[in-house]
């Protein structure tokens, strides 16, 4: 099948400041929650990453050459406000002006995320998204950026609120690495949605003419079997991973059935329900009516089987994101049906799940104006062949196969009525990964980290063909 895309459909690449910039100690940048955490772990360093701080022009030139029409990138909050709030660092501001000017020169449209997992250290120590001061500081930082960078026409408030909170307070893979705290997880997620709503509403009040959206990590959750117990386990997992945040950001109201599922999860764990105020709920409602788009990050799906046993110790960093969370909390256990292929990191490859989550947003959230797939791609173990020259092309047939299947599923969803306006491959160039360091490569462009030289992967030429023709080749 050769999926086709509307003429104005955008093909882009994705990145995040901390994963790509490197230069974490340069030009007055403040520390973030990861610095201490990674130093203590001693497994890998965020420097040099892809040294985008010094290679942005080269990467944007390559983007232009290979049909990448837009780049999702994030601003490192602590380059602009090293302490999170207070004094501005002009060198950080100047850097992003240079990046956006290079985007313009190379005809690459920037889609700019304000928070991609990199809370400034001081604010993190005060409680991160659990602290009201963090919310105030975030609103000030966002307003500063809206005023300072009118050249940006597409803003993204927060990347993956759920995955941030779950990994901080439930599975413990992100700092402060707490485990088994659903109360904190839900509160941090709600607080992120409130912060998101405040800046959507502020942006609309400023009348700057651009568009603003949020990015969610969404995986379709299927019951392992038709049994009512498995169906209920899937509904609980879905409430935890998708439904609460889709409701809060796209409908602007948490549906009673959604809240009942969340209540069941916290009750099972003897924890209190998250708190809201009437003012916050009004802010969520207003923001949902003003939101221009939702971004979907989808890599895999999940299958849930009812689990009746006692809590178990979970295993950090194995399997799909959050794998062990459900088991730990008696929601259910993940079980892969036979015949479903997985990546080297055990992420199930299931393009139908992409189609289904896009249709669900289109059908269940009628306020949604547009959908972008803001992340999708496959992590592979790749190496530079011995004796490589400048012209060496890195073969990555597995990536081409994965992208073809997922893009076909997106084309199907568009045919079925989903208003999907663009696709961003994770990632543009190989980057640093939060929990796997440098072993997991996602890029269209290969980065030889020691020399910072870029090489083209086969998938880059394939991507160019898709972007030029808007048709997926055989
Ligand atoms: C997403 C993150 C992104 C990247 C990919 C693989 O959860 O948004 O930063 O690590 O996963």
């Amino acid at each position: 099948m050769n999926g086709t895309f509307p003429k104005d459909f955008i093909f882009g690449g994705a990145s995040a400041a901390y994963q790509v910039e490197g230069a974490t100690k340069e030009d007055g940048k403040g520390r973030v929650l990861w610095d201490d955490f990674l130093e203590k772990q001693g497994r890998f360093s965020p420097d040099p990453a892809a040294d985008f701080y010094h290679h942005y022009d080269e990467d944007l030139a390559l983007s232009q050459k290979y049909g990448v029409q837009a780049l999702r990138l994030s601003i490192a909050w602590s380059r602009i406000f090293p302490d999170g709030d207070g004094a501005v660092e002009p060198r950080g501001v100047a850097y992003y002006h240079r990046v956006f000017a290079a985007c313009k020169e190379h005809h690459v449209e920037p889609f700019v995320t304000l928070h991609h997992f990199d809370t400034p250290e001081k604010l993190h120590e005060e409680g991160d998204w659990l602290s009201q001061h963090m919310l105030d500081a975030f609103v000030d930082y966002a307003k500063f950026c809206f005023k300072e960078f009118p050249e940006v026409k597409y803003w993204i408030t927060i990347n993956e609120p759920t995955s941030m909170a779950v990994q901080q307070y439930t599975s413990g893979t992100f700092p402060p690495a707490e485990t088994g705290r659903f109360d904190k997880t839900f509160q941090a997620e709600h607080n992120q949605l409130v912060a998101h709503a405040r800046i959507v509403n502020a942006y609309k009040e400023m009348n700057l003419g651009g568009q603003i959206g949020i990015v969610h990590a969404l995986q379709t959750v299927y019951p392992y079997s038709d049994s009512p117990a498995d169906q209920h386990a899937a509904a609980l997992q879905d409430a935890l991973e998708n439904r609460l945040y889709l409701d809060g950001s796209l409908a602007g109201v948490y549906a009673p059935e959604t809240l009942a599922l969340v209540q069941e999860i916290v009750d099972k764990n003897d924890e209190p329900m998250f708190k809201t105020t009437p003012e916050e709920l009004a802010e969520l409602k207003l923001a949902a009516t003003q939101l221009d788009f939702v971004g979907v990050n989808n890599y895999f799906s999940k299958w849930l089987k009812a689990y009746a046993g006692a809590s178990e110790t979970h295993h950090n960093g194995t399997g799909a994101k959050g794998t062990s969370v459900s088991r730990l909390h008696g929601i259910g256990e993940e079980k892969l049906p036979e015949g479903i292929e997985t990546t080297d990191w055990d992420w199930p490859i299931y393009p139908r799940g992409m189609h289904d989550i896009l249709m669900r947003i289109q059908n269940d959230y009628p306020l949604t104006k547009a959908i972008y797939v803001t992340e999708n791609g496959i992590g592979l173990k790749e190496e530079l062949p011995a004796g490589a020259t400048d012209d060496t092309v890195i073969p990555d047939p597995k990536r081409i196969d994965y992208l073809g299947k997922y893009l076909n599923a997106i084309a199907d969803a568009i045919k079925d009525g989903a208003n999907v306006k663009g696709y961003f491959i994770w990632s543009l160039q190989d980057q640093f990964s939060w929990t796997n360091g440098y072993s997991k490569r996602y890029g269209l462009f290969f980065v030889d980290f020691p020399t910072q030289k870029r090489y083209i992967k086969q998938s880059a030429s394939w991507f160019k063909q898709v972007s030029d023709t808007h048709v997926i080749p055989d």
Side-chain angles (χ1 to χ4, degrees):
M1 194 198 73
N2 302 95
T4 58
F5 296 89
K7 258 214 197 105
D8 59 353
F9 190 90
I10 293 177
F11 289 93
S15 68
Y18 201 70
Q19 293 180 270
V20 77
E21 287 178 356
T24 62
K25 297 186 177 66
E26 220 164 305
D27 287 344
K29 183 183 189 298
R31 286 172 69 85
V32 299
L33 74 169
W34 289 96
D35 293 326
D36 203 41
F37 185 74
L38 294 175
E39 278 159 23
K40 280 193 185 131
Q41 275 188 346
R43 291 197 295 155
F44 36 71
S45 156
D47 288 309
D51 197 22
F52 187 73
Y53 199 74
H54 302 105
H55 290 258
Y56 63 86
D57 195 61
E58 188 182 340
D59 286 351
L60 287 161
L62 281 177
S63 300
Q64 185 174 14
K65 190 164 166 198
Y66 285 92
V68 180
Q69 303 164 296
L71 175 61
R72 192 178 155 224
L73 52 87
S74 76
I75 292 181
W77 179 350
S78 72
R79 282 200 195 281
I80 310 257
F81 292 97
D83 289 335
D85 58 3
V88 173
E89 170 50 74
R91 289 171 294 178
V93 177
Y95 164 68
Y96 289 108
H97 277 301
R98 292 199 298 280
V99 171
F100 299 141
C103 285
K104 192 156 189 216
E105 192 191 323
H106 295 291
H107 304 284
V108 175
E109 186 71 48
F111 278 60
V112 180
T113 312
L114 288 160
H115 185 278
H116 195 129
F117 299 162
D118 58 350
T119 305
E121 190 171 78
K122 273 205 179 154
L123 295 171
H124 173 69
E125 279 163 5
E126 286 174 26
D128 215 306
W129 287 114
L130 294 171
S131 129
Q132 289 299 321
H133 176 212
M134 165 92 170
L135 270 68
D136 295 342
F138 184 62
V139 174
D140 290 346
Y141 150 67
K143 282 191 190 160
F144 175 90
C145 291
F146 296 153
K147 265 194 226 132
E148 181 65 37
F149 304 114
E151 60 270 47
V152 175
K153 295 294 174 216
Y154 295 89
W155 289 101
I156 291 161
T157 56
I158 300 179
N159 179 69
E160 301 188 350
T162 326
S163 118
M164 174 93 181
V166 165
Q167 298 194 78
Q168 287 192 298
Y169 302 114
T170 309
S171 68
T173 34
F174 281 15
E178 291 185 30
T179 53
R181 291 299 301 266
F182 262 112
D183 51 347
K184 287 190 177 181
T185 303
F186 286 123
Q187 194 65 55
E189 286 166 350
H190 169 70
N191 290 2
Q192 288 181 78
L193 290 190
V194 171
H196 150 81
R198 285 191 185 147
I199 69 173
V200 168
N201 297 336
Y203 186 67
K204 290 297 166 183
E205 235 170 66
M206 289 164 86
N207 220 351
L208 293 164
Q211 299 197 15
I212 190 158
I214 187 167
V215 163
H216 286 302
L218 297 167
Q219 23 277 341
T220 316
V221 183
Y222 301 98
Y224 184 76
S225 79
D226 288 344
S227 78
D230 287 359
Q231 290 191 21
H232 190 62
L236 288 171
Q237 182 74 15
D238 178 65
L240 164 68
E241 296 215 55
N242 306 314
R243 191 164 167 179
L244 190 70
Y245 322 104
L246 288 175
D247 280 10
S249 57
L250 303 188
V253 52
Y254 300 125
E257 312 86 73
T258 312
L259 290 175
L261 291 164
V262 171
Q263 184 77 55
E264 189 180 328
I265 297 172
V266 289
D267 285 352
K268 272 190 177 152
N269 290 282
D270 288 327
E271 287 171 345
M273 184 67 162
F274 68 98
K275 292 193 179 56
T276 62
T277 68
E279 292 75 27
E280 289 171 349
L281 295 177
E283 290 174 286
L284 292 190
K285 183 84 223 175
L286 178 62
T289 61
Q290 308 208 84
L291 194 70
D292 295 302
F293 63 90
V294 60
V296 173
N297 293 355
N298 174 270
Y299 295 84
F300 54 81
S301 299
K302 287 188 179 180
W303 287 262
L304 260 285
K305 200 169 158 36
Y307 176 70
S311 293
E312 292 200 356
T313 315
H314 71 286
H315 311 282
N316 282 354
T318 57
K321 284 185 268 188
T323 297
S324 43
V325 171
S326 332
R327 200 170 169 124
L328 182 67
H329 294 276
I331 295 173
E333 69 181 309
E334 280 178 45
K335 198 167 159 71
L336 196 63
E338 275 194 21
I340 293 184
E341 213 192 322
T342 58
T343 71
D344 289 345
W345 280 268
D346 295 338
W347 293 16
I349 301 176
Y350 195 67
R352 183 77 201 172
M354 170 70 92
H355 169 275
D356 291 354
I357 198 77
L358 295 171
M359 294 317 299
R360 173 181 176 187
I361 292 175
Q362 186 65 40
N363 295 331
D364 292 0
Y365 297 94
L367 285 176
T368 305
K369 297 188 188 77
I371 308 172
Y372 288 89
V373 173
T374 36
E375 281 184 34
N376 169 255
I378 182 167
L380 297 171
K381 293 173 184 151
E382 295 168 314
E383 275 173 25
L384 193 62
T389 63
D390 286 3
D391 302 331
T392 298
V393 173
I394 316 284
D396 58 347
K398 270 199 185 162
R399 179 166 294 107
I400 294 175
D401 185 57
Y402 178 100
L403 297 179
K405 287 179 179 152
Y406 272 80
L407 278 164
N408 268 316
I410 296 167
D412 274 352
I414 294 173
K415 240 196 282 153
D416 292 344
N419 187 22
V420 188
K421 308 293 272 178
Y423 172 88
F424 293 74
I425 179 177
W426 185 272
S427 50
L428 181 73
Q429 67 287 73
D430 292 336
Q431 312 183 1
F432 161 78
S433 142
W434 309 100
T435 47
N436 294 289
Y438 294 92
S439 60
K440 199 179 189 189
R441 293 173 179 269
Y442 278 92
L444 284 180
F445 309 135
F446 184 95
V447 178
D448 180 37
F449 294 111
T451 62
Q452 287 299 327
K453 243 182 93 56
R454 272 60 174 155
Y455 295 84
I456 301 308
K457 296 186 196 174
Q458 226 172 15
S459 57
S461 304
W462 182 90
F463 193 84
K464 176 172 167 49
Q465 189 184 344
V466 175
S467 168
D468 286 352
T469 60
H470 281 50
V471 179
I472 302 165
D474 290 324

